[in-house]
Every structure is written in structure tokens, then in C-alpha cells.
Amino acid sequence: MRGRALAAVAILVAWIAGIGMLVRREYFRPHIDRLAAAALRVTPGAVFYAVMQGEKQVGFASSTIDTSTNLIEQRDYLVADILVGGTLHRATARTNVALTRTLRVRNFDVALEADQGPLRVVGEVLGDTVLRLDLRIGADGKPDTARVALTGPILLPTLVPLAIALDDKPKVGKSFTLPLFDAATMGAKDVKVSVRAESLFVVNDSSVYDSTTGRWRGVLPDTIRAWELVAETGSVGSVGSGGSGGSGIGGWVDAQGRLVASTQMGFQLRRRPYEVAYENWRKDADTAKAGTTSVASNRDVLETTAISANKRLGSSGSSGSSGSSGSSGSSLTELRVRLSGVQLRGFDLNGGRQRLRRDTLFVVQEPDSLLVRPRSIVPESTRDVFAELKAEPFLEVNHPEIVALARRLAGDDLDRIAIARRINRWVYDSLRKEVSVGIPSALQVLHARRGDCNEHAQLFVALARAAGIPARIAAGLAYVDGKFYYHAWPEVALRGWVAVDPTFGQFPADAAHLRFVTGGLTRQAELLRLVGGLTIDVIGVK
């Protein structure tokens, strides 16, 4: 997985999920006239934030609300410089949302720009029954249009807490179930948001320029009361303690529903006067030098992808001699590492081939017993029951081209092990190995026949699901030639979940694969929490 693409996606998901926090749609509780009355109290204004990573400011963010007779508009903006692989990469995210004065979402426009991979999602709500989406990947990409059926009004996660404040003064212990649009799955999901705590914050109202230091500093401090909002575990975009455990809703909000502070995927957003938030960061960004890192090379988890570094994992199992073509070193059957520097809660480190004991992670390659006993594919009549067999955004499982190829690779065979091995080999042989930037679609990959680990994993999972084999994407790190690289690979349900790697032709994948998350973009974006914080010591290999 290319680090800058990972960072870009992570910033977008974090920004969509955590910054603006404007309105919740209370159609399931109060009457519409109460909503209309509350909406009249929405006042225009702008707030600004320093985007922090640890003690270092890496970016700037803002949230602006404008009102008119018939419309409420919110514009959110974030820009950040992320150090990945010793190089700074800038990403920007913009979210514009238009609502009626009765707090119904009318349309939204989400845009991300990072290096070479712009992404734009435009949505329009037609009544309360249909959401029309236009998704465009790449500057010259053709828009992919979809219509999502709705059962009622929806919200973007950026549109949550103002109406909690508008409805009544927030109270600790109170909770709300909200129908939110999830950008990762391109669908609506209910999320339960609770008011967990209440506290006081000191926020500067203005700033002055200090000629001695050449920097702006805050003045006119004001004490404001704020409430902590948390999405409960199990909800889409849920977060852990303090909002740091994921990419979802979480943060401290004042009585006007404006964000005061939040922690999202390793970023901390802190409200500041404009000059302190922006001018100081701009000055530092102008003088920042790329190519520096504080992590020793033998513990570096800031590398991009093994493909870009011309690295290869060794062959594994019986994927064929071509699996080791150009490989670097033999495959590992066991790996033991010590993890430190970041909070490990919320990562998928335990289970299957992996075992976490305190700060030590044990990874073993799956035994042969999982690969020799046949198990049949899932019949088409029962596939809707399994989440790991369904189509998802960018996983066009039911597209005729994907289905036709899956059937051709499966033939008359019903053994999911044999079919999965065949798909793994076909993807490895058919895709040219090259670095890409952007969010891959399985169908696009099938047409382009090139890409890095994301493209290989995406196409494999789509083909496996179309063939009746439950499959999912895992993401984390790969240990190659003494360094750790971002990587993504599939897991298939055989006699348990088995990791495979079509990027490097491994079946099963060797123990050099350290899984941190499983799932789509929202989960994969959580890997950004590792950047600049995680250190790894290898304490045993076999």
C-alpha cells in the first residue's frame, strides 16, 4: 500500500467523520416544527483549528457556517503535510454541505487532493427516498453514478452535534441514534452517539504578532463549557477512548455545537485563532525539509510500499515457481516483534495466525491442515447471508465481467481451496506490478491490469466473492529485507481465515505479513495512526 495514498485516504475519512459536526436530523423524535424553530438559532460564523500530530503541528483546518432565508451551508476544509517514507506529502480535503432551514440535507460535495490522486464525491438527496451519488477518481476519471435507496433523511457525519446543542443543553448520559451516510460504504447506517463527559476549556478569542519570536500567539482567553460526544463501539465509525480509536465521530463540542477539540486517527484538532492556526503552520511548512525521520532505519514503518522499493517477498506454499520471481529472501514461517509508541487498542492484531501478548506480537504461517481438507463454495442461493460475499463500493462482485472471470477460473470445481489458489495465481500473473495512487475499483483493475498491493487485493476479493468464497481485505505491514512496508492482502475463509498474497504470489502468505486491520477504507485508513509513532523491534524470525 503506498504510504501517501494511505495518508490521503485517512485524512479524507477523518475529516468527513470528525471535524465539522453541524446538525443531526431528529425526524424520529421531535416534530418538524421543533426542528424548524431550532434551525432559526443557527448563526453564521467560522472556527479554526491547528491539526497536530503529537506535539507537532502538521496542518490547518476550518469550519464555516453561512445562513440565508432558505438555506444553511457548511464548508469544512483541512490541509496537512504528512511525513511518509522520509518525504512530506500534502493532502487537502473539502466538504461542502447544503441543508434546508428545517435541517434536511439537500446536497453535498466532498473533494480530496493528494499528490496525483484527486477524489470527488457529489451527492444529492431526492426527497427522503433516493441519494444520487457521482464518484470521480483521478483528474481525468469518468464519473461513476449510483443511486442509493433511503428509508428516510440522512446526515453526513460532519453534520452531527449542533442540533444536539440546539435541541437542548447537552446532558451527560444522553444518547442519540443518527442515520449517517458512510463515505466508505456509500450507504446509510445508524450510529449511536452519547454525551459522555462535561468539562471547561480555555480558548483564545484573538491573536497578536510577537516580533521577537516571529510567531503569532493567542490573547483574550475565554473559558467555555464543552461536552464530549462519542460514537458507541459497534456503530459505524465508532471510536475508542477519547475519540482516538478510529475514524468516527468524537470530540468536545460547545453549547453552540462548534467543535473545540478532537482526536481522529492520530491527528489532534485544537481550536485556535486564525493566525495562530494558519500563519504559524504556513511559516513552519515553508521551511520544512523533506527526507528527515526520527525513526531508525531498521525500525522504520514509514516506508511506502515494497513494490516502489523494488522489493519482493519470498515464494510460499505451492503458488508456483513464478511466485518467487525476483523475490528477496526466503519466506518466513514465524515472526516475533515488539510494538511500542502507539495505542494498540482498536487494531485487529489478535486472531487467526496472530497472537498479541502485551506488547509482543507473534505471527505464524497457517498450517497445512487448513489447506488440504476440501470445503465447498457457498451456493448462490445463500450468499446474501454472508457479509464477506456481498458487493461493496469498489468491489463490483456482481458485475458480469467479474462474474464471468470468476466462473472461468473456478470451472466445474467446487473446492474453495483449489479455486482460491487459482484466483491468486491468475491475479499475480495478470497484473503488472507498479505503484498507483488512488482508491482502486476491482472492475477498473480488471481493465487496467496493473497496480500495487491495493489493486491486487481488491481484484482478488471481488473474484473470490463472485466464486462463492468469503474473502476480505487485510492491511498492515510487510517485513522485507529488514524493513517494514505498508501492505494490503486478502484473507479467505477456508478452514478458518487464511492470508494469501496475490501481489507476490504467496498461497498462503508467509509470516512476514503483520495484520493491523481488516475491512474497507475506513478501517484501512486507521493505519495512519502508526505514522511517526509506531516503532518495531524484531525479536525472532524463522
Side-chain angles (χ1 to χ4, degrees):
M1 179 182 298
R2 196 172 193 185
R4 63 189 185 188
L6 168 70
V9 172
I11 291 171
L12 174 66
V13 174
W15 183 240
I16 291 174
I19 173 60
M21 296 188 167
L22 173 60
V23 180
R24 73 182 174 98
R25 168 66 174 131
E26 296 179 291
Y27 66 95
F28 45 84
R29 287 290 182 269
H31 297 96
I32 194 68
D33 54 350
R34 182 177 174 183
L35 274 177
L40 294 176
R41 301 201 303 270
V42 177
T43 57
V47 287
F48 309 100
Y49 307 92
V51 180
M52 311 293 293
Q53 195 170 38
E55 297 301 316
K56 180 179 177 59
Q57 184 174 355
V58 297
F60 163 80
S62 66
S63 183
T64 304
I65 296 175
D66 286 329
T67 62
S68 63
T69 303
N70 301 316
L71 206 63
I72 300 173
E73 293 183 275
Q74 176 171 307
R75 297 186 297 275
D76 296 324
Y77 173 76
L78 181 146
V79 57
D81 292 325
I82 311 299
L83 184 65
V84 179
T87 303
L88 286 173
H89 299 278
R90 174 162 293 185
T92 61
R94 294 176 175 85
T95 304
N96 299 329
V97 185
L99 304 102
T100 68
R101 291 302 307 214
T102 55
L103 306 188
R104 290 175 179 266
V105 174
R106 176 180 292 178
N107 55 65
F108 58 85
D109 189 337
V110 179
L112 167 72
E113 293 183 11
D115 293 337
Q116 309 166 31
L119 166 69
R120 186 179 182 189
V121 180
V122 177
E124 181 181 9
V125 178
L126 307 176
D128 289 335
T129 59
V130 174
L131 171 63
R132 185 182 185 274
L133 291 172
D134 288 329
L135 172 67
R136 185 189 299 270
I137 300 175
D140 301 321
K142 296 181 179 180
D144 183 9
T145 301
R147 297 172 73 91
V148 180
L150 303 176
T151 58
I154 61 167
L155 297 174
L156 265 68
T158 55
L159 305 177
V160 173
L162 180 57
I164 292 178
L166 288 177
D167 178 34
D168 198 359
K169 181 179 178 181
K171 298 178 181 178
V172 175
K174 192 173 182 179
S175 62
F176 310 84
T177 299
L178 314 177
L180 302 186
F181 171 71
D182 180 10
T185 63
M186 298 298 171
K189 294 185 179 180
D190 285 343
V191 178
K192 188 175 183 180
V193 180
S194 299
V195 182
R196 186 165 66 180
E198 180 181 342
S199 186
L200 295 175
F201 288 78
V202 177
V203 177
N204 295 112
D205 287 338
S206 188
S207 57
V208 297
Y209 184 73
D210 188 334
S211 59
T212 303
T213 62
R215 300 180 69 82
W216 293 85
R217 59 182 177 86
V219 294
L220 302 179
D222 184 24
T223 301
I224 61 175
R225 188 173 301 276
W227 292 263
E228 185 182 21
L229 304 184
V230 178
E232 293 192 1
T233 302
S235 299
V236 57
S238 60
V239 297
S241 177
S244 62
S247 61
I249 298 164
W252 292 87
V253 180
D254 64 19
Q256 285 71 47
R258 306 294 177 89
L259 188 70
V260 178
S262 179
T263 299
Q264 303 291 342
M265 287 206 284
F267 291 117
Q268 298 85 42
L269 275 68
R270 301 290 180 261
R271 190 190 293 185
R272 299 285 188 269
Y274 171 79
E275 293 84 0
V276 177
Y278 178 73
E279 295 293 346
N280 288 348
W281 168 74
R282 184 180 62 83
K283 180 180 179 180
D284 293 339
D286 288 343
T287 58
K289 295 181 180 179
T292 59
T293 175
S294 60
V295 182
S297 60
N298 66 333
R299 309 169 86 199
D300 186 9
V301 299
L302 305 182
E303 297 293 336
T304 53
T305 174
I307 289 179
S308 64
N310 196 27
K311 298 293 184 181
R312 296 291 183 268
L313 294 171
S315 62
S316 155
S318 56
S319 59
S321 60
S322 66
S324 60
S325 176
S327 66
S328 182
S330 58
S331 62
L332 300 181
T333 58
E334 295 183 18
L335 177 65
R336 184 159 44 106
V337 298
R338 181 175 293 113
L339 309 176
S340 59
V342 298
Q343 172 59 253
L344 298 178
R345 179 183 176 186
F347 287 120
D348 299 327
L349 291 167
N350 257 320
R353 57 166 36 205
Q354 297 189 179
R355 181 164 45 94
L356 181 66
R357 287 185 176 178
R358 295 185 180 179
D359 62 350
T360 302
L361 180 67
F362 300 81
V363 185
V364 296
Q365 192 175 31
E366 285 86 353
D368 291 341
S369 60
L370 291 178
L371 303 175
V372 296
R373 290 181 290 173
R375 188 176 182 186
S376 296
I377 61 174
V378 178
E380 291 189 23
S381 59
T382 60
R383 290 181 187 178
D384 289 343
V385 178
F386 299 91
E388 293 84 4
L389 285 173
K390 294 180 179 179
E392 298 177 14
F394 314 113
L395 277 175
E396 299 91 341
V397 173
N398 301 318
H399 192 278
E401 293 182 53
I402 298 289
V403 172
L405 178 56
R407 287 176 177 171
R408 179 165 65 84
L409 293 173
D412 296 329
D413 211 329
L414 298 178
D415 177 9
R416 66 173 67 178
I417 296 176
I419 298 172
R421 191 188 304 275
R422 219 170 289 149
I423 294 173
N424 195 70
R425 178 60 180 269
W426 187 91
V427 174
Y428 173 80
D429 288 340
S430 302
L431 269 60
R432 186 167 70 249
K433 305 334 182 224
E434 64 179 44
V435 173
S436 64
V437 176
I439 302 173
S441 154
L443 188 62
Q444 291 176 346
V445 176
L446 179 60
H447 293 162
R449 301 292 179 94
R450 64 179 181 271
D452 58 23
C453 57
N454 278 329
E455 281 75 12
H456 286 70
Q458 201 82 356
L459 182 55
F460 177 97
V461 169
L463 290 170
R465 292 185 180 187
I469 304 172
R472 64 190 185 188
I473 294 176
L477 303 174
Y479 180 58
V480 191
D481 284 354
K483 284 191 174 183
F484 292 92
Y485 297 85
Y486 285 109
H487 196 47
W489 61 94
E491 291 183 342
V492 291
L494 303 178
R495 293 284 176 180
W497 286 105
V498 174
V500 301
D501 193 338
T503 307
F504 298 119
Q506 292 189 339
F507 195 101
D510 69 5
H513 296 70
L514 283 68
R515 181 194 67 233
F516 277 77
V517 298
T518 58
L521 290 177
T522 303
R523 294 305 323 279
Q524 294 174 40
E526 293 181 30
L527 292 175
L528 189 62
R529 290 169 52 198
L530 308 180
V531 175
L534 178 67
T535 56
I536 304 182
D537 292 297
V538 178
I539 56 180
V541 296
K542 185 182 292 186

